[in-house]
Amino acid sequence: MSDGTATTTTDLDVRLEKHRVELTGYCYRMLGSSFEAEDAVQDTMVRAWRSYDKFEGRSSLRSWLYRIATNVCLDMLTAGNKRARPMDLTESTPLAQAALSPRPDNTWLEPMPDNRVLPSTEDPAEAAVAKETVRLAFMAALQQLPAKQRAVLILREVLAWKASEVAELLDTTVASVNSALQRARATLAEQQQPGAEAALSDPLDEEQQKLLERYVAAFEGYDMTALTALLHEDAIMTMPPFDLWLTGVKDITGFMTTLGAPCAGSRLLPVQVNGLPGFAQYKPDPEAGGFTPWAVQVLEVSDGRITGFHCFLDTKRWFPLFGLPLHLEAEAHQVEKGV
């Protein structure tokens, strides 16, 4: 390979890489899976690199990449599986009947670190919209849409593409795009997604910051009285890969002191996940000492109370994704801790 070719190749790699985060956000909204989204983007990059000599510049590089990514996602969605949350699949279970029944990984809507899907922007309004459109409730609503309607809604409503641009990308007409957008909006309007009312300022205001500080103190102290004061009376708790979900303070705190009792003495480290506040939960490790990964917690907050408490338990997958250590020393927690 000549020096000139090498330079061109390196330049193309750099140009493609500039779009990775926003493409990952797009594919994540389409697929509902953090790992499938990253696979889809990698496939997009490989296809773009291999066929770049056929790219004639009739559209921008960004538009061309979105076209490839859309086709990759539509191919992946042909199986028809819809990622879900526990409350999308079953009725709430009373604590007295609680049973931990796991379902396969491909059942579940997956969490995603903010920095992998939210491009940096200096526009506060743009940043706020981006965060709102990766929140769990919005992601769950997207999963109810047919694949092409999903693509249209994301491109038009989330990414603010013009109808003519979407029509060109999808090889269809503006009228067809507008019709798909209307149907998608109607479907979302009919749904009452738990968590949709979550209202957070960006960045968190002082009251919300104090709420999280109180939550950390209550959870690490396993103080159910303090936790009760922070939870909304209709708060929801979920624990994928288990399909069990609980409603209400009494059942949530009751679960935590019975089946969830081994979580006593846990430590929490803050993470930014799905545009919401979250924590990496480490349980005491009686064998090795220190703490071992247990869950990525995602909190939904509204009107000064916690309304959603979602624990993703497959830590061997989630902790590396978030760049989190797979063991936490007791003294290290004192240094790393912060909200």
Side-chain angles (χ1 to χ4, degrees):
M1 182 179 289
S2 69
D3 289 345
T5 305
T7 301
T8 302
T9 301
T10 302
D11 176 60
L12 177 58
D13 286 341
V14 170
R15 290 175 67 200
L16 294 177
E17 202 60 32
K18 285 180 180 177
H19 299 281
R20 182 176 291 275
V21 173
E22 65 169 310
L23 286 171
T24 304
Y26 175 60
C27 293
Y28 176 58
R29 293 179 181 99
M30 284 291 291
L31 300 170
S33 163
S34 39
F35 295 104
E36 286 184 1
E38 297 206 326
D39 287 346
V41 172
Q42 193 57 34
D43 191 0
T44 297
M45 295 297 189
V46 170
R47 292 189 192 189
W49 200 90
R50 287 177 176 169
S51 59
Y52 186 71
D53 58 341
K54 299 175 185 175
F55 173 56
E56 299 173 355
R58 286 178 293 184
S59 64
S60 68
L61 177 64
R62 180 174 181 256
S63 297
W64 185 59
L65 288 172
Y66 269 93
R67 175 188 286 268
I68 298 172
T70 299
N71 289 331
V72 170
C73 289
L74 292 177
D75 287 345
M76 293 174 73
L77 288 167
T78 52
N81 65 305
K82 297 178 180 179
R83 297 274 176 167
R85 301 174 299 171
M87 54 275 210
D88 302 322
L89 301 176
T90 64
E91 295 296 320
S92 177
T93 306
L95 179 59
Q97 300 170 21
L100 297 178
S101 305
R103 296 202 188 192
D105 290 341
N106 64 4
T107 305
W108 303 115
L109 182 63
E110 297 178 347
M112 180 66 108
D114 284 1
N115 62 6
R116 288 181 179 256
V117 292
L118 300 178
S120 57
T121 175
E122 295 181 2
D123 183 343
E126 188 177 320
V129 169
K131 284 191 172 185
E132 288 172 6
T133 58
V134 292
R135 289 182 181 171
L136 296 174
F138 184 78
M139 291 289 298
L142 285 177
Q143 295 294 301
Q144 303 305 311
L145 300 175
K148 285 198 174 180
Q149 283 186 32
R150 202 179 307 177
V152 168
L153 184 93
I154 296 167
L155 291 166
R156 291 282 284 118
E157 303 274 89
V158 177
L159 301 176
W161 284 40
K162 297 176 182 176
S164 57
E165 294 171 329
V166 178
E168 183 178 353
L169 183 145
L170 294 175
D171 291 324
T172 187
T173 64
V174 169
S176 178
V177 166
N178 288 337
S179 176
L181 181 59
Q182 281 187 328
R183 293 196 303 273
R185 284 172 172 166
T187 299
L188 295 192
E190 290 170 2
Q191 297 182 41
Q192 294 294 323
Q193 288 289 341
E197 75 288 347
L200 291 165
S201 59
D202 184 28
L204 299 180
D205 62 30
E206 185 178 356
E207 181 182 344
Q208 292 164 348
Q209 196 70 32
K210 286 182 177 178
L211 174 68
L212 296 184
E213 291 170 0
R214 291 167 63 199
Y215 169 76
V216 170
F219 194 94
E220 291 191 344
Y222 231 59
D223 183 340
M224 294 302 120
T225 301
L227 191 61
T228 295
L230 304 178
L231 293 172
H232 189 278
E233 61 181 7
D234 296 323
I236 288 173
M237 179 181 184
T238 68
M239 292 160 283
F242 301 115
D243 58 15
L244 170 73
W245 63 285
L246 301 167
T247 305
V249 175
K250 185 176 180 180
D251 276 3
I252 291 173
T253 56
F255 178 88
M256 291 177 68
T257 53
T258 53
L259 290 174
C263 287
S266 289
R267 295 293 177 261
L268 301 180
L269 294 182
V271 294
Q272 297 299 315
V273 51
N274 286 86
L276 294 162
F279 296 93
Q281 179 193 345
Y282 290 82
K283 286 201 314 182
D285 188 339
E287 295 182 5
F291 303 90
T292 190
W294 182 247
V296 170
Q297 301 181 358
V298 185
L299 304 186
E300 292 166 335
V301 176
S302 182
D303 296 328
R305 294 289 183 94
I306 295 169
T307 56
F309 173 46
H310 308 290
C311 303
F312 294 88
L313 304 182
D314 192 353
T315 52
K316 288 183 179 179
R317 301 174 77 217
W318 305 131
F319 276 50
L321 183 72
F322 282 80
L324 293 162
L326 292 177
H327 185 80
L328 190 65
E329 299 295 341
E331 58 273 15
H333 173 66
Q334 302 306 317
V335 176
E336 296 180 38
K337 184 179 175 183
V339 176

